[in-house]
Amino acid sequence: MRSEFLVIFLMFFVVSCTAALPCRVINDNDKIVEGKLAAELDAALTQSHINGDFDGVVMMKRGQETLLKRAYGCANRSTNKLNSLSVISDIGSIAKSFTAVAIMQLHAQNKLSIDDTIDHYFPSVPADKKIITIRQLLTHTSGLPNYHSRGDFDAMTRTQGEQKVLSLSLRYPPGEDSGYSNAGYMLLGAIVERVSRTDFQSHVSNNILKPLGLNSTAWYGSNKIDFDDIALGSVGNRTGATTYDTPVTWALLAGGGMVSNIDDLTVWYDALLNKQLFSEELNKTILAPNDYDRTLAGLRKRLVENQPALEIGGSTDFGYTAKIQYFQDADIMVVLLFNGYSPSYGPSTHHVISNRVMANVIRQYEYNP
């Protein structure tokens, strides 16, 4: 009798756990699936979504042709509102690329040099940090620590942010190693303000977002975005929350705190790759990796399934991950904008899905959809 009860209990537990996976559904009314490669990718992504690995939107294009564009799961699990192709989501550290471009624009206008040391802009900088250059801040080789925690949402002015970062101990002498640094990007945002004499958000909006028509890209708390268009971020079986309703402060500004949709991210990466923002010479400088395989912001050149790729990604602790990946030989771009991940993959979900699931299918087809 006891063993029978145990069997019944285990069956109930398994069924309950399976049923507990929320919002395992595909938006079948809003999609593009063109060709055999796209169909194979969609099948692999659908299975991964059903397994509970991710919720969000995926886009893949070859050249200028969109092969796959599809939404998986829910934007709001509490209301069962499905993700759509236009849904807006947190992009994590992809925000750094906007800061980096703002700096490079000022460099191109001869308003600063990326080889300036930061004591040009912060007169009270401690002696151990005087030799840090803007280039080192851009490429995460400054020696400044990451400074990333839930303190990202603390109220903090620019002056307080500068003081906080400049008081941190260096991990290594500037230029002698590589280490991802949100703190370095806080300083870059402050430099943009000091040089442009405009607040950071206005400068980036007027010089990058508006010229490129990125109308669904903004910072937390912006009235530019309709809150109903925002996807809630979910971890595991949680119903979800959003970072967007928290005003962005200098604890996060210039290193994160932005939302976007998949179309805007596609336009943005196209602009970075296709010399729309800078001269060809400057573009080569931007995309050339340093000794530690990093280019500006967080762009990296790497091999994925033996295919050369240029990629940038971002994540938060609240279920959001995002990634843009360009397979150079294949002329294939992949954009992932996720608002849900499983505890098993966590904030690395965007890497797992792009590098294991998608790249594997792309490699098998040898770039022939």
Side-chain angles (χ1 to χ4, degrees), residues 57-69 85 91 94 98 212-214 216-217 260-274 276-277 312 322-326 332-337:
V57 189
V58 176
M59 191 285 304
M60 181 187 71
K61 69 173 189 171
R62 187 179 191 186
Q64 294 305 308
E65 180 186 6
T66 300
L67 302 179
L68 175 66
K69 195 174 180 183
L85 299 185
I91 62 174
I94 291 178
F98 293 96
L212 290 174
L214 305 182
S216 295
T217 303
S260 189
N261 69 6
I262 206 155
D263 287 335
D264 274 15
L265 289 182
T266 301
V267 171
W268 176 234
Y269 211 56
D270 269 336
L272 281 174
L273 295 178
N274 296 325
Q276 295 179 41
L277 300 169
I312 187 169
K323 188 168 186 175
I324 315 174
Q325 194 169 45
Y326 177 63
I332 285 178
M333 181 189 294
V334 170
V335 183
L336 311 179
L337 191 59

Side-chain angles (χ1 to χ4, degrees), residues 99 102 189 192-193 198-205 219 250 253-254:
T99 303
V192 169
E193 284 202 349
T198 309
D199 74 89
F200 177 78
Q201 293 183 52
S202 295
H203 181 84
V204 173
S205 294
W219 288 267
W250 274 93
L253 192 66

Side-chain angles (χ1 to χ4, degrees), residues 26-48:
I26 313 297
N27 189 341
D28 221 25
N29 299 317
D30 197 7
K31 66 178 181 179
I32 297 172
V33 182
E34 297 288 345
K36 192 173 181 181
L37 172 58
E40 289 285 339
L41 281 170
D42 181 44
L45 290 165
T46 297
Q47 186 58 58
S48 186

Side-chain angles (χ1 to χ4, degrees), residues 18-291:
T18 303
L21 284 174
C23 220
R24 300 300 93 193
V25 62
I26 313 297
N27 189 341
D28 221 25
N29 299 317
D30 197 7
K31 66 178 181 179
I32 297 172
V33 182
E34 297 288 345
K36 192 173 181 181
L37 172 58
E40 289 285 339
L41 281 170
D42 181 44
L45 290 165
T46 297
Q47 186 58 58
S48 186
H49 165 69
I50 290 171
N51 292 344
D53 296 339
F54 77 95
D55 293 86
V57 189
V58 176
M59 191 285 304
M60 181 187 71
K61 69 173 189 171
R62 187 179 191 186
Q64 294 305 308
E65 180 186 6
T66 300
L67 302 179
L68 175 66
K69 195 174 180 183
R70 195 156 198 194
Y72 305 81
C74 283
N76 187 328
R77 292 179 177 179
S78 296
T79 63
N80 290 320
K81 180 182 178 181
L82 298 182
N83 272 321
S84 69
L85 299 185
S86 60
V87 75
I88 295 170
S89 194
D90 196 313
I91 62 174
S93 285
I94 291 178
K96 290 181 175 65
S97 60
F98 293 96
T99 303
V101 166
I103 288 284
M104 296 305 298
Q105 286 177 331
L106 293 170
H107 172 87
Q109 296 162 7
N110 295 316
K111 294 181 179 179
L112 59 76
S113 167
I114 59 173
D115 292 312
D116 287 342
T117 52
I118 64 172
D119 58 347
H120 283 72
Y121 307 98
F122 308 104
S124 60
V125 62
D128 64 333
K129 302 178 183 70
K130 284 182 180 289
I131 62 170
I132 293 174
T133 65
I134 292 177
R135 187 189 296 269
Q136 289 167 347
L137 294 177
L138 286 168
T139 56
H140 300 281
T141 55
S142 68
L144 287 168
N146 197 17
Y147 181 60
H148 169 67
S149 67
R150 292 187 182 273
D152 288 347
F153 297 93
D154 290 345
M156 188 181 295
T157 65
R158 191 187 83 186
T159 299
Q160 290 170 330
E162 291 171 358
Q163 292 171 347
K164 173 68 177 176
V165 171
L166 294 175
S167 69
L168 296 171
S169 299
L170 293 177
R171 288 181 286 185
Y172 49 81
E176 293 192 9
D177 204 343
S178 175
Y180 199 83
S181 176
N182 286 286
Y185 269 76
M186 187 191 296
L187 291 186
L188 288 172
I191 291 171
V192 169
E193 284 202 349
R194 287 173 178 269
V195 172
S196 69
R197 298 182 180 179
T198 309
D199 74 89
F200 177 78
Q201 293 183 52
S202 295
H203 181 84
V204 173
S205 294
N206 292 332
N207 291 277
I208 299 175
L209 303 185
K210 289 179 182 177
L212 290 174
L214 305 182
N215 298 320
S216 295
T217 303
W219 288 267
Y220 298 168
S222 170
N223 58 14
K224 174 182 173 182
I225 304 295
D226 187 339
F227 190 87
D228 289 339
D229 295 332
I230 303 289
L232 301 187
S234 301
V235 179
N237 292 341
R238 298 176 195 168
T239 54
T242 180
T243 49
Y244 182 73
D245 53 353
T246 304
V248 67
T249 81
W250 274 93
L252 187 61
L253 192 66
M258 293 184 80
V259 295
S260 189
N261 69 6
I262 206 155
D263 287 335
D264 274 15
L265 289 182
T266 301
V267 171
W268 176 234
Y269 211 56
D270 269 336
L272 281 174
L273 295 178
N274 296 325
K275 309 175 185 66
Q276 295 179 41
L277 300 169
F278 307 107
S279 66
E280 184 170 357
E281 181 180 353
L282 194 52
N283 227 64
K284 287 179 180 177
T285 299
I286 290 168
L287 298 178
N290 59 27
D291 293 341

Side-chain angles (χ1 to χ4, degrees), residues 345-364:
Y345 295 153
S348 297
T349 294
H350 52 321
H351 297 310
V352 173
I353 299 302
S354 64
N355 295 347
R356 295 185 195 172
V357 178
M358 299 190 71
N360 185 52
V361 175
I362 292 171
R363 179 182 58 79
Q364 289 179 30

